[in-house]
Amino acid sequence: MSDLKTVLGEAVEAAFAAEGVPAELARVTPSDRPDLADFQSNGALAAAKRVGKNPREIATAVAERLKSDPRLASVEIAGPGFINLKLTDAALADRANAVAADPRTGAETLAEPRKVIVDYGGPNVAKPMHVGHLRASIIGESIKRIYRFRGDTVVGDAHFGDWGYQMGLLIGAVCDENPEIAALVDQLNATGDVADEIPDAFRAVTLADLDRLYPLAAAKGKEDLTYRDRARKLTADLQAHKPGCYVLWRQFRAVTQVALERDFHALGVDFDWWKGESDADPLIPEMVAELDAKGLLVDDQGARIVRVAREGDKRELPPLLVVSSEGSAMYGTTDLATILDRKRAFGPDLVIYCVDQRQADHFEIVFRAAYLAGYAAEGQLEHIGFGTMNGPDGKPFKTREGGVLKLNDLIEMTRGKARERLHEAGLGENLPESEFEEIASKVAVAALKFADLQNFRGTSYVFDLDRFTSFEGKTGPYLLYQAVRVKSLLRKAETEGAAAGPVTVAEPAERDLVLTLDAFETALAEAYDKKAPNALAEHAYRLSQAFSKFYAACPILVAAPPVRGSRLTLAAAVLRQLETALDLLGIAVPERM
Ligand code: ARG
């Protein structure tokens, strides 16, 4: 069953057509004046210009036809020709019953599902994750869930940064510090033996070592040209699969992955593919040959590039650097090869790259090269950029010590604040320690994710833990609290033996609640079409507010059985829809708090 907006849209279209005015103008939207009407159509104004009639005249004729619709309690003309529609209580009750009976609470699925890859998270081996990765993870996870819920077949891929210059830097830095490792790298490189098992000497390298060494090596590489050149050489050796470098690199990747899985898990983020840049490496030789055969590869001072500038470009786009003068594959090389890899492995209709807005040019260049190479059709690759999470100084968020933020620290810090907030609110106090901890984790994740997703992704926002974790206002914890309240109400009804029954609608707060439940489909469609989870965040918030008003105005458990049954059905539908919407944002609701 379609949502009310669609159903009314069809009715108004039919009335337009019957009056000989273009039906496609008959758009129905929620009313700007909820006190007067539920929905409105402004189509008569546009139609008037087209057919050269007075808009009020058209609106009146259309309204006359609509008046016989049994679902409409009133049809009125306002202003220059707006048509105001008010539904009968019975029509609202019908819709409420359909939503309540539907496991998807009124959300439609696509007629033509597609195969979609969401490339998000994008953490790097050894380099700590920064706020860009945090936002990529939060937004990407939500987009993945929204697309899947809508009916697409979706794969989420982490696309690890594990094959670039930072790997050469680290191999060098680890060897400098540990002569035993350096000797073993040389020995394996010379003998050409790839160890199946990572040797113990390499296994001693921990993530803490990498975290400690990377910033030092990166800084040194910027100042010291010899150091930088050696790192580049080691990167090329790694990419050539020289066994010493390659096996040591496997250790780097393994220790990083364990930590990343833990952090992502704590954040409620999960990938179907934990692939990385290195997974595209085997395809590079063949890709380079193919680009060459297609005449796309150009020699440029020892490097090999693909020119992607187009006639009419407003700015000059640099070419794609495919092979560096040292013979290394670059960031863009692995990205292009990954497109080929994904095409073969999955054949996606669409790949969504959820990555920091600052990489917009990088993706434009890679996408153009992919279209030229025939690895994807124009429009199948889409970069979804986003702004930054800033500190109070308006610059990308940093730790108090001024360093880059580590995801793990951020989660710990937020969890600490969540515990404090729960105590302040007197919540979860009588629960067992382990359950309290689980609740604190969920509150922390809800706080971080909702604060991020309630803004359109392009907007930057300021990190404000006090506000994010508050149980009041437009926050994740507030929404969890509302959902838990409904859960406890429904539990109470069950212990009292109060049964749910068919919905009837009478009170204004009931009408409002049903109209809000009905708007889920619109919110989901917008989130999907615009890749904008904030539409669902907004819906979740409105639904909670509508429920709050309903709860205050309409007694539930003390009402007479038919009314009580109706209100319990409404409450159960609200809970299911709220949990669904929050789940699409990547937020899980505790049982109690
Ligand atoms: N690892 C990259 C970075 O830290 C992000 C990867 C984004 N995805 C991609 N296909 N390039 O900036």
Side-chain angles (χ1 to χ4, degrees):
M1 180 197 175
S2 307
D3 60 339
L4 293 168
K5 196 181 91 167
T6 309
V7 169
L8 290 180
E10 283 160 9
V12 180
E13 264 178 36
F16 266 52
E19 285 304 317
V21 282
E24 72 270 14
L25 299 175
R27 225 167 64 88
V28 164
T29 53
S31 173
D32 296 337
R33 292 284 307 271
D35 51 327
L36 299 181
D38 303 326
F39 291 93
Q40 67 186 56
S41 171
N42 304 346
L45 277 77
K49 284 191 201 112
R50 286 257 204 110
V51 296
K53 268 198 207 167
N54 175 327
R56 259 195 98 90
E57 208 178 298
I58 299 178
T60 310
V62 167
E64 268 324 301
R65 290 187 179 273
L66 286 171
K67 276 180 184 154
S68 59
D69 192 316
R71 294 165 299 192
L72 292 171
S74 72
V75 184
E76 271 156 14
I77 317 294
F82 303 121
I83 305 170
N84 279 339
L85 306 168
K86 198 168 169 110
L87 288 151
T88 62
D89 291 344
L92 285 174
D94 280 350
R95 176 61 181 157
N97 281 310
V99 169
D102 178 5
R104 301 173 56 84
T105 61
E108 306 285 326
T109 50
L110 298 166
E112 287 173 38
R114 296 179 290 177
K115 289 204 275 180
V116 180
I117 293 179
V118 185
D119 178 316
Y120 70 105
N124 297 312
V125 166
K127 284 203 259 184
M129 282 205 246
H130 53 68
V131 292
H133 299 113
L134 174 77
R135 293 210 70 192
S137 307
I138 291 176
I139 300 167
E141 177 72 23
S142 178
I143 288 179
K144 180 188 76 181
R145 292 178 185 213
I146 291 165
Y147 271 62
R148 196 167 277 162
F149 185 63
R150 207 75 173 130
D152 288 322
T153 303
V154 188
V155 168
D157 185 4
H159 200 75
F160 260 120
D162 63 358
W163 208 234
Y165 168 66
Q166 85 268 25
M167 305 289 36
L169 271 175
L170 271 174
I171 294 170
V174 168
C175 287
D176 287 345
E177 194 179 60
N178 188 320
E180 193 196 343
I181 292 180
L184 190 54
V185 167
D186 283 343
Q187 185 198 328
L188 289 172
N189 277 349
T191 54
D193 293 335
V194 179
D196 272 344
E197 287 282 310
I198 301 177
D200 286 343
F202 290 179
R203 270 183 200 281
V205 179
T206 64
L207 185 65
D209 293 329
L210 302 183
D211 280 353
R212 177 172 49 80
L213 289 172
Y214 176 74
L216 303 173
K220 207 161 170 198
K222 277 190 192 133
E223 290 156 13
D224 180 342
L225 287 189
T226 328
Y227 194 82
R228 190 197 62 191
D229 287 343
R230 183 188 60 158
R232 287 190 174 171
K233 166 84 174 46
L234 287 168
T235 309
D237 286 350
L238 168 67
Q239 292 179 355
H241 288 250
K242 286 231 179 144
C245 295
Y246 187 69
V247 176
L248 180 58
W249 168 86
R250 274 181 29 214
Q251 171 67 7
F252 295 173
R253 202 185 188 290
V255 291
T256 310
Q257 177 144 350
V258 171
L260 286 173
E261 280 187 25
R262 182 202 60 210
D263 290 355
F264 279 125
H265 179 80
L267 196 62
V269 170
D270 197 10
F271 299 100
D272 305 287
W273 291 352
W274 288 84
K275 287 196 169 195
E277 295 166 1
S278 64
D279 289 288
D281 180 70
L283 288 97
I284 292 176
E286 142 190 25
M287 177 183 89
V288 171
E290 196 175 333
L291 294 174
D292 203 12
K294 288 188 170 153
L296 295 168
L297 219 48
V298 180
D299 285 322
D300 184 51
Q301 302 167 35
R304 313 195 75 191
I305 60 170
V306 174
R307 291 197 206 281
V308 298
R310 289 176 183 172
E311 192 106 13
D313 278 351
K314 292 207 180 66
R315 285 162 315 106
E316 203 188 326
L317 265 193
L320 179 74
L321 181 51
V322 180
V323 187
S324 78
S325 48
E326 285 93 6
S328 295
M330 310 304 285
Y331 183 41
T333 321
T334 48
D335 256 325
L336 188 58
T338 300
I339 294 172
L340 184 58
D341 187 30
R342 287 171 177 167
K343 182 179 177 207
R344 290 187 185 162
F346 187 65
D349 300 300
L350 177 67
V351 185
I352 297 172
Y353 293 77
C354 188
V355 187
D356 198 320
Q357 187 56 37
R358 286 171 293 190
Q359 297 196 24
D361 278 359
H362 164 77
F363 286 111
E364 183 62 28
I365 294 166
V366 170
F367 295 171
R368 286 188 184 187
Y371 299 146
L372 286 169
Y375 294 165
E378 191 100 23
Q380 283 185 331
L381 306 169
E382 200 177 331
H383 171 221
I384 302 301
F386 47 80
T388 49
M389 182 175 90
N390 295 329
D393 59 354
K395 299 205 184 93
F397 182 79
K398 293 214 156 99
T399 60
R400 216 171 297 158
E401 296 74 40
V404 274
L405 151 130
K406 283 208 196 128
L407 193 50
N408 192 28
D409 296 346
L410 176 76
I411 294 167
E412 273 308 322
M413 180 164 92
T414 313
R415 224 184 256 147
K417 193 82 204 168
R419 284 188 201 104
E420 236 174 77
R421 290 294 202 172
L422 284 164
H423 286 309
E424 267 169 39
L427 292 172
E429 309 233 286
N430 306 319
L431 298 174
E433 168 77 18
S434 64
E435 193 176 347
F436 180 80
E437 277 307 302
E438 198 194 310
I439 295 168
S441 294
K442 286 184 170 158
V443 168
V445 169
L448 284 176
K449 288 190 170 177
F450 195 81
D452 190 298
L453 295 173
Q454 67 167 288
N455 307 296
F456 180 67
R457 57 184 153 73
T459 341
S460 298
Y461 64 97
V462 174
F463 181 74
D464 181 347
L465 208 46
D466 272 323
R467 193 164 56 79
F468 295 178
T469 53
S470 170
F471 280 92
E472 273 151 45
K474 204 173 183 178
T475 69
Y478 165 79
L479 292 174
L480 292 192
Y481 181 65
Q482 293 301 327
V484 166
R485 250 195 346 159
V486 189
K487 283 193 187 190
S488 99
L489 163 77
L490 294 174
R491 266 200 304 269
K492 189 143 185 253
E494 209 178 309
T495 44
E496 289 180 11
V503 175
T504 49
V505 170
E507 297 298 321
E510 289 172 324
R511 292 186 65 94
D512 224 45
L513 185 59
V514 174
L515 286 167
T516 311
L517 282 166
D518 179 61
F520 184 39
E521 163 61 18
T522 305
L524 178 66
E526 184 182 340
Y528 180 91
D529 293 339
K530 298 188 183 155
K531 286 125 190 140
N534 60 301
L536 281 169
E538 186 63 35
H539 180 76
Y541 182 65
R542 283 199 192 157
L543 184 61
S544 292
Q545 283 189 311
F547 182 79
S548 255
K549 287 197 187 126
F550 160 79
Y551 196 61
C554 303
I556 301 179
L557 292 177
V558 297
V563 175
R564 183 180 70 190
S566 160
R567 291 179 180 167
L568 283 173
T569 300
L570 279 175
V574 166
L575 176 62
R576 183 146 10 101
Q577 192 176 85
L578 185 56
E579 280 200 284
T580 305
L582 289 173
D583 180 64
L584 294 175
L585 301 176
I587 296 172
V589 180
E591 267 328 289
R592 337 176 251 186
M593 61 197 244

